[in-house]
Every structure is written in C-alpha cells, then in structure tokens.
Amino acid sequence: MTAARDAEGQPTAPTPRLPAKLAAHPSVQAVLARRRAGDAARPPAVIDAAWLRELCLAAGADDAAAVSLDHPDLAGEREHAQSALPGTRSLIAMAVRMNRDNCRSPARSVANQEFHQADEQANHAARSVTQALQDAGYRALNPSVGFPQEMDRFPGERIWVVAHKTVAVAAGLGVMGLHRNVIHPKFGSFAS
C-alpha cells in the first residue's frame, strides 16, 4: 500500500471513503478541499479584542469584553467552562441595558416583561456572536442567560453552565454589588 503524495513529494492525508450522496454535499466538498490545501484557511490563533467587541455590539449587546479563562478570578469557572466546551481559553461577557423605569414600575407585568426582553436580547446577541465565531473557524458556545436547567446535577452541583456575573466582573464590565448583581459603570444595576 502506498500513501498519496503532494507536488513536493510530501505525504497527504488520505481522502476518507464516503457514500456518494455525502461526498457530493457542498459542505463535505469544502472541508475536503481545505484538507487538500493543508488547512491554509485556519483562523488566527488569537482573536483581536477590538474586532470581537465590535462583533458583540453589532449583534445587539450594549457593552462587551473578553477575559482569559486563566484570569485568577475565574479559577472556580475553569472546570465548568472546560466541561461545557473542551479547549476553552477565553470567555466573552456582554451587557444588555434595561429600561430603568420599566424595572422600577410597581406593575409587575411591566418589570417582568423588561427582564424577559433583556434576557432574550442577550441570548440572541450571544447566539449571533457564536455563529459568527464558528463561521470564522473558531469553536464557540453560548450558555443560556437565565433559567439554569442542568437539573441532572442537582442537588450536589450547581445547575448553571457558567457563572455569568463572575465572568462579567472578571472581564471588567462592572463590580459585584451587595445585592449580588453586577453594577455596570454606565448602566448601573439596570443591565442583564
């Protein structure tokens, strides 16, 4: 058995044997073409922080910052982040501004709607950023903003994927208040 070689005589990765219908799919053809080209289109190893922030703002966040998973304040998050997405090196924190008077309204339906809308905006922005990062060749994951559901871990472990507030503080988007909410430098307590 002989191995295939490229123009310089170097061995090339064998092309997997695929069913004809799968081999004809455009996505499969694109992946195989990149492999034949030596993965020349790999994304840069380091993502530009300004580009990433602009991506988050364009997706609907009102503020955003990235933080290394090696940050000392994230020691308690490392295992959880690595479990959710092995190989994670950085986390992104995004803030979505809430309407102050809606949050302060004694009409619970008004305040409740504001919280839900802000969470939905944050989830939508995170999903858009995740898609853009994946389209650029990076692996990315967006844990839900609220309503933790990992009940299979209860009661021994926490039921959320990542502690969003801890990440936001480590990324510099604010400080933790006595009320256990992040106080953003511009939006105060009115951010999701």
Side-chain angles (χ1 to χ4, degrees), residues 8 22 34 45 109 115 135 188:
E8 287 89 32
L22 185 60
R34 281 196 304 270
S109 61
F115 285 103
D135 289 348

Side-chain angles (χ1 to χ4, degrees), residues 2-3 12 17 26 40 42 49 51 64 75 77 89 91 102 111 113 121 123 129 159 162 166 171 173 175:
T2 61
T12 60
R17 293 177 189 235
R42 283 193 180 172
W51 173 82
E77 291 302 308
R89 297 187 312 189
L91 301 174
N102 284 6
Q113 181 68 12
Q121 183 179 341
N123 278 323
V129 169
I159 59 171
V162 66
T166 303
L173 289 186
V175 297

Side-chain angles (χ1 to χ4, degrees), residues 49-136:
W51 173 82
L52 184 59
R53 185 170 190 280
E54 286 304 315
L55 177 66
C56 294
L57 297 178
D62 291 305
D63 199 0
V67 60
S68 170
L69 192 55
D70 292 331
H71 190 287
D73 292 347
L74 296 178
E77 291 302 308
R78 285 187 195 108
E79 177 185 342
H80 302 289
Q82 290 290 337
S83 176
L85 183 65
T88 298
R89 297 187 312 189
S90 299
L91 301 174
I92 303 168
M94 292 188 282
V96 172
R97 177 184 57 87
M98 290 191 284
N99 296 312
R100 294 172 188 256
D101 289 332
N102 284 6
C103 293
R104 292 174 174 155
S105 175
R108 295 317 315 152
S109 61
V110 174
N112 190 48
Q113 181 68 12
E114 185 63 30
F115 285 103
H116 283 281
Q117 289 294 316
D119 282 356
E120 284 305 311
Q121 183 179 341
N123 278 323
H124 178 74
R127 186 171 190 276
S128 296
V129 169
T130 299
Q131 286 178 330
L133 287 170
Q134 289 176 354
D135 289 348

Side-chain angles (χ1 to χ4, degrees), residues 125-171:
R127 186 171 190 276
S128 296
V129 169
T130 299
Q131 286 178 330
L133 287 170
Q134 289 176 354
D135 289 348
Y138 299 98
R139 294 182 67 221
L141 176 85
N142 64 306
S144 175
V145 169
F147 308 108
Q149 297 183 15
E150 314 317 318
M151 293 306 292
D152 58 317
R153 302 174 183 173
F154 186 78
E157 296 181 45
R158 69 188 201 179
I159 59 171
W160 56 93
V161 176
V162 66
H164 294 283
K165 295 174 189 178
T166 303
V167 173
V169 171

